[in-house]
Amino acid sequence: MTENQFDSLTDEQLVEKITSEGLNHLYSILYERYYKKVLEKCNSLLRNKDLAEDFAKDIFSKAFEKLRGFKGNSSFGSWLYSITYNYCIDYLRAKKKLHYPNWNIQNEIPEIIDEIIEEDMTEIHLTRLQKLMNLMHAEERAMLLMKYQDDLSIKDIATAMRLSEGAVKMRIKRSKARLLYMYSDLYGDY
C-alpha cells in the first residue's frame, strides 16, 4: 500500500496499523484529519491562540503516547476530544483560572426549570450562541460543546471531566439553563 492508499482507511483502521504493525508514520494522517478541530477546541477554552497551538501539539503527542490504550469503545475523534478537553481543563484548574463551584455561586441563575427541552437550544441563533458561549465558564462551555457539538455520551463526558455521570447531567442541565437565561436576558425571549 502506498501512503495515499492509507488515506482511505478509517481512524480505527489507522490506529490498528499503528499499534499492531508499528506503522507510526500513519499517525500523520490522523493528525491532518483532527489538528484543526483540536486547535479550535483548545482556543475556545483557553482563549489564547499561541497557547492553543502549543496545547494542540502537546495533545497530539500525548494521544500518540496513549494510542495503545485506545480500545475503540468510542470513535477515535471522541477519544481525542476527551483528551483535548481534559488537558485544557486540567491546565485551567492548575492555573486557578477555573474553579467551577465558586464561579457558579457568583454567577447564580434563577431556579433551573426542569422543562427546558432540547429544541430550545437549537432555536438560538448561532452568532448569538457563540457570543454567549464566550461569556460562560470554561467548564460549562466545554460540557456543552462535548454534548452538542461533539456528540459525546454522558459517560465519555464524565470520564473527560473526572466527574460522576450524575454530576455531568446536572451541570449540563445547569449550563443549558444558564445559556437560555443569558439569551433571554440579553436578547429577550427565545
Side-chain angles (χ1 to χ4, degrees):
M1 269 184 143
T2 66
E3 191 72 32
N4 290 341
Q5 291 172 315
F6 288 118
D7 288 340
S8 64
L9 295 178
T10 66
D11 298 340
E12 289 72 22
Q13 290 170 327
L14 288 168
V15 170
E16 176 64 27
K17 292 208 169 285
I18 294 166
T19 57
S20 67
E21 298 177 31
L23 301 176
N24 293 344
H25 64 283
L26 296 181
Y27 192 65
S28 64
I29 297 171
L30 294 171
Y31 184 90
E32 289 299 317
R33 287 180 186 174
Y34 289 97
Y35 179 78
K36 186 175 178 183
K37 291 178 185 176
V38 168
L39 178 61
E40 288 170 0
K41 289 176 191 323
C42 290
N43 196 34
S44 75
L45 291 169
L46 303 170
R47 297 182 185 174
N48 177 321
K49 288 184 180 187
D50 293 333
L51 190 59
E53 287 178 15
D54 291 342
F55 271 50
K57 292 172 187 168
D58 290 348
I59 288 163
F60 275 96
S61 293
K62 189 175 198 75
F64 182 76
E65 291 169 7
K66 294 182 171 192
L67 205 53
R68 293 198 183 279
F70 174 69
K71 302 296 182 208
N73 298 332
S74 59
S75 71
F76 174 79
S78 294
W79 180 77
L80 182 62
Y81 298 151
S82 180
I83 292 172
T84 302
Y85 285 113
N86 200 17
Y87 195 76
C88 291
I89 295 295
D90 282 351
Y91 168 80
L92 291 171
R93 284 179 181 152
K95 291 293 185 185
K96 305 287 189 233
K97 293 182 180 179
L98 178 67
H99 189 64
Y100 183 72
N102 289 347
W103 184 89
N104 193 40
I105 290 167
Q106 293 167 357
N107 293 279
E108 196 166 342
I109 58 173
E111 185 66 29
I112 295 173
I113 304 166
D114 285 336
E115 292 81 39
I116 292 175
I117 54 176
E118 297 296 318
E119 290 79 34
D120 290 339
M121 297 299 288
T122 59
E123 291 179 18
I124 298 176
H125 190 268
L126 181 60
T127 4
R128 289 179 174 177
L129 178 62
Q130 289 170 332
K131 287 178 185 175
L132 291 174
M133 291 284 282
N134 286 332
L135 298 174
M136 295 182 79
H137 188 271
E139 191 169 323
E140 286 187 338
R141 189 170 56 250
M143 285 189 190
L144 290 174
L145 290 172
M146 283 188 262
K147 174 79 173 141
Y148 296 104
Q149 181 181 348
D150 300 328
D151 201 29
L152 295 181
S153 69
I154 296 296
K155 182 179 180 181
D156 289 340
I157 296 170
T159 301
M161 302 301 286
R162 295 184 183 115
L163 297 167
S164 71
E165 289 181 36
V168 167
K169 287 178 187 176
M170 179 50 83
R171 287 189 185 183
I172 287 174
K173 180 179 173 182
R174 189 176 296 136
S175 299
K176 288 180 353 186
R178 185 181 321 281
L179 187 61
L180 292 172
Y181 174 76
M182 289 167 52
Y183 184 89
S184 179
D185 192 43
L186 289 172
Y187 303 112
D189 289 336
Y190 52 86

